Amino acid sequence: MPQEIVIQEVLTCFDAYARIRRARDSVLAASRVSPREEERAFDDLQQAISRLRTT
């Protein structure tokens, strides 16, 4: 069961990172994200993957 939770976390982080990457180059200024936000989402994804590897 804990492994399923960690897998879900990885999927959630990946989805968030993918959405941020798409918004990075958005034509709409209001939809754009900062490089810092993108970096934070990538770091969250890396941490989730590390947790998955240790379970």
Side-chain angles (χ1 to χ4, degrees):
M1 187 71 163
Q3 187 177 17
E4 290 177 20
I5 293 169
V6 178
I7 291 170
Q8 189 65 25
E9 181 184 9
V10 169
L11 294 174
T12 301
C13 289
F14 180 80
D15 183 54
Y17 179 67
R19 280 186 279 116
I20 285 174
R21 287 288 304 231
R22 281 191 306 270
R24 176 183 66 175
D25 300 325
S26 177
V27 198
L28 304 172
S31 297
R32 290 192 191 128
V33 295
S34 70
R36 184 161 174 80
E37 288 175 291
E38 183 180 346
E39 184 178 323
R40 188 175 326 129
F42 185 72
D43 290 344
D44 290 346
L45 177 57
Q46 283 185 314
Q47 289 173 5
I49 292 170
S50 292
R51 282 190 290 277
L52 178 60
R53 286 181 177 150
T54 60
T55 58

Short mmCIF file of all heavy atoms in Angstrom, two decimals:
data_model
loop_
_atom_site.label_atom_id
_atom_site.label_comp_id
_atom_site.label_asym_id
_atom_site.label_seq_id
_atom_site.Cartn_x
_atom_site.Cartn_y
_atom_site.Cartn_z
N MET A 1 0.81 -1.20 0.00
CA MET A 1 0.00 0.00 0.00
C MET A 1 0.86 1.27 0.00
O MET A 1 0.58 2.16 -0.78
CB MET A 1 -0.95 -0.03 1.20
CG MET A 1 -1.92 1.08 1.20
SD MET A 1 -3.14 0.83 -0.11
CE MET A 1 -4.39 1.92 0.42
N PRO A 2 1.89 1.40 0.84
CA PRO A 2 2.70 2.61 0.82
C PRO A 2 3.33 2.87 -0.55
O PRO A 2 3.46 4.01 -0.96
CB PRO A 2 3.78 2.38 1.87
CG PRO A 2 3.22 1.34 2.77
CD PRO A 2 2.31 0.50 1.90
N GLN A 3 3.71 1.81 -1.26
CA GLN A 3 4.31 1.99 -2.57
C GLN A 3 3.31 2.61 -3.54
O GLN A 3 3.67 3.45 -4.36
CB GLN A 3 4.83 0.66 -3.12
CG GLN A 3 5.63 0.84 -4.40
CD GLN A 3 6.21 -0.46 -4.90
OE1 GLN A 3 5.79 -1.53 -4.50
NE2 GLN A 3 7.17 -0.37 -5.78
N GLU A 4 2.05 2.23 -3.43
CA GLU A 4 1.02 2.81 -4.29
C GLU A 4 0.88 4.31 -4.03
O GLU A 4 0.68 5.09 -4.97
CB GLU A 4 -0.31 2.11 -4.07
CG GLU A 4 -0.34 0.69 -4.60
CD GLU A 4 -1.64 -0.01 -4.30
OE1 GLU A 4 -2.65 0.67 -4.04
OE2 GLU A 4 -1.65 -1.24 -4.33
N ILE A 5 0.99 4.70 -2.80
CA ILE A 5 0.90 6.12 -2.44
C ILE A 5 2.06 6.89 -3.05
O ILE A 5 1.88 7.98 -3.60
CB ILE A 5 0.86 6.29 -0.90
CG1 ILE A 5 -0.43 5.70 -0.35
CG2 ILE A 5 1.00 7.75 -0.51
CD1 ILE A 5 -0.47 5.57 1.15
N VAL A 6 3.25 6.32 -2.98
CA VAL A 6 4.43 6.98 -3.53
C VAL A 6 4.33 7.06 -5.06
O VAL A 6 4.68 8.07 -5.67
CB VAL A 6 5.72 6.26 -3.09
CG1 VAL A 6 6.94 6.91 -3.70
CG2 VAL A 6 5.83 6.28 -1.57
N ILE A 7 3.82 6.01 -5.68
CA ILE A 7 3.63 6.02 -7.13
C ILE A 7 2.64 7.13 -7.51
O ILE A 7 2.86 7.87 -8.46
CB ILE A 7 3.14 4.65 -7.64
CG1 ILE A 7 4.27 3.63 -7.51
CG2 ILE A 7 2.66 4.74 -9.08
CD1 ILE A 7 3.85 2.20 -7.75
N GLN A 8 1.58 7.24 -6.75
CA GLN A 8 0.59 8.29 -7.01
C GLN A 8 1.23 9.67 -6.87
O GLN A 8 0.94 10.57 -7.65
CB GLN A 8 -0.60 8.14 -6.05
CG GLN A 8 -1.75 9.04 -6.39
CD GLN A 8 -2.39 8.71 -7.73
OE1 GLN A 8 -2.32 7.59 -8.22
NE2 GLN A 8 -3.00 9.69 -8.34
N GLU A 9 2.10 9.82 -5.90
CA GLU A 9 2.79 11.09 -5.70
C GLU A 9 3.69 11.42 -6.90
O GLU A 9 3.72 12.56 -7.36
CB GLU A 9 3.64 11.05 -4.42
CG GLU A 9 4.35 12.34 -4.14
CD GLU A 9 5.26 12.26 -2.92
OE1 GLU A 9 5.47 11.15 -2.39
OE2 GLU A 9 5.77 13.31 -2.53
N VAL A 10 4.39 10.42 -7.42
CA VAL A 10 5.24 10.63 -8.60
C VAL A 10 4.38 11.06 -9.78
O VAL A 10 4.73 12.01 -10.50
CB VAL A 10 6.04 9.36 -8.96
CG1 VAL A 10 6.69 9.48 -10.32
CG2 VAL A 10 7.09 9.08 -7.89
N LEU A 11 3.26 10.40 -9.99
CA LEU A 11 2.38 10.75 -11.10
C LEU A 11 1.83 12.17 -10.95
O LEU A 11 1.75 12.92 -11.92
CB LEU A 11 1.25 9.74 -11.22
CG LEU A 11 1.67 8.33 -11.60
CD1 LEU A 11 0.48 7.38 -11.55
CD2 LEU A 11 2.32 8.32 -12.96
N THR A 12 1.47 12.53 -9.74
CA THR A 12 0.96 13.87 -9.49
C THR A 12 2.03 14.92 -9.74
O THR A 12 1.76 15.95 -10.38
CB THR A 12 0.46 13.98 -8.02
OG1 THR A 12 -0.57 13.01 -7.82
CG2 THR A 12 -0.09 15.35 -7.72
N CYS A 13 3.24 14.68 -9.26
CA CYS A 13 4.34 15.61 -9.48
C CYS A 13 4.69 15.72 -10.96
O CYS A 13 4.97 16.81 -11.46
CB CYS A 13 5.57 15.21 -8.67
SG CYS A 13 5.38 15.45 -6.90
N PHE A 14 4.67 14.59 -11.65
CA PHE A 14 4.97 14.61 -13.08
C PHE A 14 3.92 15.43 -13.83
O PHE A 14 4.25 16.24 -14.71
CB PHE A 14 5.03 13.19 -13.65
CG PHE A 14 5.32 13.19 -15.12
CD1 PHE A 14 6.62 13.35 -15.58
CD2 PHE A 14 4.30 13.05 -16.04
CE1 PHE A 14 6.90 13.37 -16.94
CE2 PHE A 14 4.56 13.07 -17.40
CZ PHE A 14 5.87 13.23 -17.85
N ASP A 15 2.65 15.24 -13.48
CA ASP A 15 1.58 15.99 -14.12
C ASP A 15 1.75 17.49 -13.87
O ASP A 15 1.60 18.30 -14.79
CB ASP A 15 0.23 15.51 -13.61
CG ASP A 15 -0.92 16.20 -14.29
OD1 ASP A 15 -0.97 16.18 -15.54
OD2 ASP A 15 -1.77 16.79 -13.59
N ALA A 16 2.07 17.86 -12.64
CA ALA A 16 2.27 19.27 -12.31
C ALA A 16 3.44 19.85 -13.10
O ALA A 16 3.36 20.96 -13.65
CB ALA A 16 2.51 19.44 -10.82
N TYR A 17 4.52 19.11 -13.18
CA TYR A 17 5.69 19.57 -13.92
C TYR A 17 5.36 19.71 -15.41
O TYR A 17 5.73 20.70 -16.05
CB TYR A 17 6.86 18.61 -13.72
CG TYR A 17 8.10 19.02 -14.48
CD1 TYR A 17 8.79 20.17 -14.15
CD2 TYR A 17 8.57 18.25 -15.53
CE1 TYR A 17 9.92 20.56 -14.86
CE2 TYR A 17 9.69 18.62 -16.24
CZ TYR A 17 10.37 19.77 -15.90
OH TYR A 17 11.47 20.15 -16.61
N ALA A 18 4.64 18.77 -15.97
CA ALA A 18 4.27 18.84 -17.38
C ALA A 18 3.39 20.05 -17.67
O ALA A 18 3.57 20.74 -18.67
CB ALA A 18 3.56 17.55 -17.80
N ARG A 19 2.44 20.32 -16.76
CA ARG A 19 1.58 21.50 -16.95
C ARG A 19 2.39 22.78 -16.89
O ARG A 19 2.18 23.70 -17.68
CB ARG A 19 0.47 21.53 -15.90
CG ARG A 19 -0.68 20.61 -16.25
CD ARG A 19 -1.85 20.74 -15.29
NE ARG A 19 -1.57 19.96 -14.08
CZ ARG A 19 -1.42 20.46 -12.86
NH1 ARG A 19 -1.54 21.72 -12.64
NH2 ARG A 19 -1.16 19.67 -11.84
N ILE A 20 3.34 22.84 -15.97
CA ILE A 20 4.18 24.03 -15.83
C ILE A 20 5.06 24.21 -17.07
O ILE A 20 5.25 25.32 -17.56
CB ILE A 20 5.00 23.97 -14.54
CG1 ILE A 20 4.08 24.26 -13.36
CG2 ILE A 20 6.17 24.93 -14.55
CD1 ILE A 20 4.70 24.09 -12.00
N ARG A 21 5.60 23.12 -17.58
CA ARG A 21 6.42 23.21 -18.80
C ARG A 21 5.60 23.73 -19.97
O ARG A 21 6.09 24.54 -20.76
CB ARG A 21 7.00 21.84 -19.15
CG ARG A 21 8.12 21.36 -18.26
CD ARG A 21 9.39 22.12 -18.52
NE ARG A 21 9.77 22.06 -19.90
CZ ARG A 21 10.95 21.72 -20.35
NH1 ARG A 21 11.89 21.43 -19.51
NH2 ARG A 21 11.20 21.70 -21.64
N ARG A 22 4.37 23.27 -20.09
CA ARG A 22 3.51 23.76 -21.17
C ARG A 22 3.20 25.24 -20.99
O ARG A 22 3.16 26.00 -21.95
CB ARG A 22 2.21 22.96 -21.24
CG ARG A 22 2.35 21.62 -21.91
CD ARG A 22 1.00 20.99 -22.19
NE ARG A 22 0.14 20.88 -21.01
CZ ARG A 22 0.11 19.84 -20.19
NH1 ARG A 22 0.89 18.80 -20.40
NH2 ARG A 22 -0.71 19.82 -19.17
N ALA A 23 2.98 25.66 -19.75
CA ALA A 23 2.63 27.06 -19.46
C ALA A 23 3.82 27.98 -19.63
O ALA A 23 3.66 29.18 -19.86
CB ALA A 23 2.06 27.18 -18.05
N ARG A 24 5.01 27.44 -19.56
CA ARG A 24 6.23 28.26 -19.66
C ARG A 24 6.26 29.05 -20.96
O ARG A 24 6.64 30.21 -20.96
CB ARG A 24 7.45 27.36 -19.55
CG ARG A 24 8.76 28.10 -19.74
CD ARG A 24 9.91 27.16 -19.69
NE ARG A 24 9.84 26.26 -20.85
CZ ARG A 24 10.76 25.37 -21.15
NH1 ARG A 24 11.81 25.24 -20.38
NH2 ARG A 24 10.64 24.60 -22.21
N ASP A 25 5.84 28.43 -22.03
CA ASP A 25 5.89 29.07 -23.34
C ASP A 25 4.52 29.55 -23.82
O ASP A 25 4.33 29.77 -25.01
CB ASP A 25 6.48 28.10 -24.36
CG ASP A 25 7.89 27.67 -23.99
OD1 ASP A 25 8.63 28.50 -23.43
OD2 ASP A 25 8.24 26.51 -24.24
N SER A 26 3.62 29.73 -22.88
CA SER A 26 2.27 30.12 -23.24
C SER A 26 2.23 31.49 -23.90
O SER A 26 3.02 32.38 -23.58
CB SER A 26 1.39 30.13 -21.99
OG SER A 26 0.09 30.57 -22.31
N VAL A 27 1.29 31.65 -24.80
CA VAL A 27 1.11 32.93 -25.47
C VAL A 27 0.46 33.93 -24.52
O VAL A 27 0.71 35.13 -24.60
CB VAL A 27 0.21 32.77 -26.72
CG1 VAL A 27 0.38 33.94 -27.65
CG2 VAL A 27 0.46 31.47 -27.42
N LEU A 28 -0.34 33.42 -23.61
CA LEU A 28 -1.02 34.28 -22.65
C LEU A 28 -0.09 34.61 -21.49
O LEU A 28 0.39 33.71 -20.79
CB LEU A 28 -2.28 33.60 -22.12
CG LEU A 28 -3.30 33.15 -23.17
CD1 LEU A 28 -4.39 32.32 -22.54
CD2 LEU A 28 -3.88 34.37 -23.86
N ALA A 29 0.13 35.87 -21.26
CA ALA A 29 1.04 36.30 -20.20
C ALA A 29 0.57 35.82 -18.83
O ALA A 29 1.39 35.46 -17.97
CB ALA A 29 1.18 37.81 -20.21
N ALA A 30 -0.73 35.79 -18.60
CA ALA A 30 -1.26 35.37 -17.31
C ALA A 30 -1.02 33.89 -17.03
O ALA A 30 -1.00 33.46 -15.88
CB ALA A 30 -2.75 35.67 -17.22
N SER A 31 -0.82 33.11 -18.07
CA SER A 31 -0.61 31.67 -17.92
C SER A 31 0.85 31.30 -17.74
O SER A 31 1.16 30.17 -17.38
CB SER A 31 -1.14 30.93 -19.14
OG SER A 31 -2.53 31.11 -19.25
N ARG A 32 1.74 32.22 -18.01
CA ARG A 32 3.17 31.91 -17.93
C ARG A 32 3.61 31.67 -16.50
O ARG A 32 3.04 32.19 -15.56
CB ARG A 32 3.98 33.06 -18.52
CG ARG A 32 3.82 33.15 -20.01
CD ARG A 32 4.83 34.07 -20.63
NE ARG A 32 4.47 34.32 -22.01
CZ ARG A 32 4.36 35.52 -22.53
NH1 ARG A 32 4.62 36.58 -21.80
NH2 ARG A 32 4.01 35.66 -23.78
N VAL A 33 4.64 30.89 -16.37
CA VAL A 33 5.22 30.60 -15.05
C VAL A 33 6.67 31.05 -15.05
O VAL A 33 7.32 31.14 -16.09
CB VAL A 33 5.14 29.11 -14.69
CG1 VAL A 33 3.70 28.66 -14.56
CG2 VAL A 33 5.85 28.27 -15.71
N SER A 34 7.17 31.29 -13.87
CA SER A 34 8.55 31.73 -13.75
C SER A 34 9.49 30.52 -13.78
O SER A 34 9.07 29.39 -13.49
CB SER A 34 8.74 32.49 -12.44
OG SER A 34 8.66 31.60 -11.34
N PRO A 35 10.75 30.76 -14.11
CA PRO A 35 11.72 29.66 -14.07
C PRO A 35 11.82 29.06 -12.67
O PRO A 35 12.05 27.87 -12.52
CB PRO A 35 13.03 30.33 -14.46
CG PRO A 35 12.62 31.52 -15.26
CD PRO A 35 11.32 31.97 -14.66
N ARG A 36 11.60 29.87 -11.66
CA ARG A 36 11.65 29.38 -10.28
C ARG A 36 10.53 28.37 -10.02
O ARG A 36 10.74 27.35 -9.38
CB ARG A 36 11.56 30.55 -9.30
CG ARG A 36 11.68 30.14 -7.86
CD ARG A 36 12.05 31.35 -7.01
NE ARG A 36 12.03 31.05 -5.60
CZ ARG A 36 13.01 30.44 -4.96
NH1 ARG A 36 14.09 30.06 -5.62
NH2 ARG A 36 12.93 30.21 -3.67
N GLU A 37 9.34 28.66 -10.53
CA GLU A 37 8.22 27.72 -10.37
C GLU A 37 8.51 26.40 -11.10
O GLU A 37 8.22 25.33 -10.57
CB GLU A 37 6.94 28.33 -10.91
CG GLU A 37 6.38 29.44 -10.05
CD GLU A 37 5.18 30.09 -10.68
OE1 GLU A 37 5.36 30.76 -11.71
OE2 GLU A 37 4.06 29.89 -10.16
N GLU A 38 9.08 26.51 -12.28
CA GLU A 38 9.43 25.32 -13.03
C GLU A 38 10.48 24.50 -12.28
O GLU A 38 10.39 23.28 -12.17
CB GLU A 38 9.95 25.69 -14.42
CG GLU A 38 10.27 24.50 -15.26
CD GLU A 38 10.78 24.88 -16.64
OE1 GLU A 38 10.65 26.05 -17.04
OE2 GLU A 38 11.31 23.98 -17.31
N GLU A 39 11.47 25.19 -11.73
CA GLU A 39 12.52 24.51 -10.98
C GLU A 39 11.96 23.83 -9.74
O GLU A 39 12.33 22.70 -9.42
CB GLU A 39 13.59 25.53 -10.58
CG GLU A 39 14.77 24.91 -9.88
CD GLU A 39 15.83 25.96 -9.54
OE1 GLU A 39 16.04 26.89 -10.34
OE2 GLU A 39 16.43 25.84 -8.46
N ARG A 40 11.05 24.48 -9.06
CA ARG A 40 10.43 23.90 -7.87
C ARG A 40 9.65 22.64 -8.22
O ARG A 40 9.73 21.62 -7.52
CB ARG A 40 9.51 24.92 -7.20
CG ARG A 40 9.00 24.45 -5.85
CD ARG A 40 8.17 25.49 -5.11
NE ARG A 40 8.62 26.84 -5.35
CZ ARG A 40 7.83 27.85 -5.73
NH1 ARG A 40 6.55 27.65 -5.90
NH2 ARG A 40 8.31 29.06 -5.91
N ALA A 41 8.90 22.68 -9.32
CA ALA A 41 8.13 21.51 -9.75
C ALA A 41 9.05 20.36 -10.13
O ALA A 41 8.78 19.20 -9.81
CB ALA A 41 7.23 21.88 -10.92
N PHE A 42 10.17 20.67 -10.79
CA PHE A 42 11.13 19.64 -11.16
C PHE A 42 11.78 19.03 -9.91
O PHE A 42 11.93 17.81 -9.82
CB PHE A 42 12.20 20.21 -12.09
CG PHE A 42 13.15 19.18 -12.60
CD1 PHE A 42 12.75 18.25 -13.54
CD2 PHE A 42 14.45 19.12 -12.13
CE1 PHE A 42 13.62 17.28 -14.01
CE2 PHE A 42 15.33 18.17 -12.60
CZ PHE A 42 14.92 17.24 -13.54
N ASP A 43 12.12 19.88 -8.94
CA ASP A 43 12.70 19.37 -7.69
C ASP A 43 11.72 18.47 -6.97
O ASP A 43 12.10 17.42 -6.43
CB ASP A 43 13.11 20.53 -6.78
CG ASP A 43 14.31 21.29 -7.30
OD1 ASP A 43 15.03 20.77 -8.18
OD2 ASP A 43 14.53 22.43 -6.83
N ASP A 44 10.44 18.86 -6.94
CA ASP A 44 9.41 18.02 -6.31
C ASP A 44 9.32 16.66 -7.00
O ASP A 44 9.21 15.62 -6.34
CB ASP A 44 8.05 18.70 -6.36
CG ASP A 44 7.95 19.91 -5.45
OD1 ASP A 44 8.84 20.10 -4.57
OD2 ASP A 44 6.99 20.70 -5.63
N LEU A 45 9.40 16.67 -8.32
CA LEU A 45 9.36 15.42 -9.08
C LEU A 45 10.56 14.55 -8.77
O LEU A 45 10.43 13.34 -8.54
CB LEU A 45 9.29 15.71 -10.58
CG LEU A 45 9.30 14.52 -11.52
CD1 LEU A 45 8.15 13.56 -11.21
CD2 LEU A 45 9.25 14.98 -12.97
N GLN A 46 11.74 15.14 -8.72
CA GLN A 46 12.95 14.37 -8.40
C GLN A 46 12.86 13.76 -7.00
O GLN A 46 13.25 12.61 -6.80
CB GLN A 46 14.18 15.25 -8.49
CG GLN A 46 14.63 15.53 -9.89
CD GLN A 46 15.92 16.32 -9.91
OE1 GLN A 46 16.06 17.31 -9.18
NE2 GLN A 46 16.85 15.89 -10.73
N GLN A 47 12.35 14.52 -6.04
CA GLN A 47 12.22 14.00 -4.68
C GLN A 47 11.23 12.85 -4.62
O GLN A 47 11.45 11.85 -3.92
CB GLN A 47 11.80 15.11 -3.73
CG GLN A 47 12.89 16.13 -3.49
CD GLN A 47 12.41 17.32 -2.67
OE1 GLN A 47 11.27 17.35 -2.21
NE2 GLN A 47 13.26 18.30 -2.51
N ALA A 48 10.13 12.98 -5.35
CA ALA A 48 9.13 11.90 -5.37
C ALA A 48 9.72 10.64 -5.99
O ALA A 48 9.49 9.53 -5.50
CB ALA A 48 7.89 12.36 -6.14
N ILE A 49 10.49 10.79 -7.04
CA ILE A 49 11.14 9.64 -7.68
C ILE A 49 12.14 9.00 -6.73
O ILE A 49 12.23 7.78 -6.62
CB ILE A 49 11.80 10.04 -9.01
CG1 ILE A 49 10.74 10.39 -10.04
CG2 ILE A 49 12.72 8.93 -9.53
CD1 ILE A 49 11.25 11.03 -11.29
N SER A 50 12.87 9.81 -5.99
CA SER A 50 13.83 9.27 -5.01
C SER A 50 13.11 8.47 -3.93
O SER A 50 13.58 7.41 -3.53
CB SER A 50 14.62 10.41 -4.36
OG SER A 50 15.46 11.02 -5.29
N ARG A 51 11.96 8.98 -3.47
CA ARG A 51 11.19 8.25 -2.46
C ARG A 51 10.70 6.92 -3.03
O ARG A 51 10.69 5.91 -2.33
CB ARG A 51 10.02 9.09 -1.95
CG ARG A 51 10.44 10.16 -0.95
CD ARG A 51 9.25 10.82 -0.30
NE ARG A 51 8.49 11.67 -1.21
CZ ARG A 51 8.82 12.92 -1.50
NH1 ARG A 51 9.89 13.47 -0.97
NH2 ARG A 51 8.07 13.62 -2.33
N LEU A 52 10.30 6.93 -4.29
CA LEU A 52 9.83 5.68 -4.93
C LEU A 52 10.97 4.67 -5.00
O LEU A 52 10.77 3.48 -4.76
CB LEU A 52 9.28 5.98 -6.32
CG LEU A 52 8.79 4.78 -7.12
CD1 LEU A 52 7.66 4.07 -6.38
CD2 LEU A 52 8.34 5.22 -8.50
N ARG A 53 12.14 5.13 -5.32
CA ARG A 53 13.28 4.22 -5.44
C ARG A 53 13.66 3.59 -4.09
O ARG A 53 14.19 2.49 -4.06
CB ARG A 53 14.50 4.97 -5.99
CG ARG A 53 14.37 5.25 -7.45
CD ARG A 53 15.59 5.96 -7.97
NE ARG A 53 15.47 6.17 -9.41
CZ ARG A 53 16.01 7.17 -10.05
NH1 ARG A 53 16.75 8.06 -9.41
NH2 ARG A 53 15.86 7.29 -11.34
N THR A 54 13.38 4.28 -3.00
CA THR A 54 13.75 3.74 -1.69
C THR A 54 12.66 2.91 -1.04
O THR A 54 12.87 2.35 0.03
CB THR A 54 14.16 4.87 -0.73
OG1 THR A 54 13.06 5.78 -0.55
CG2 THR A 54 15.37 5.61 -1.24
N THR A 55 11.48 2.82 -1.70
CA THR A 55 10.40 2.00 -1.10
C THR A 55 10.46 0.59 -1.63
O THR A 55 11.02 0.27 -2.63
CB THR A 55 9.00 2.58 -1.40
OG1 THR A 55 8.80 2.67 -2.80
CG2 THR A 55 8.83 3.90 -0.72
#
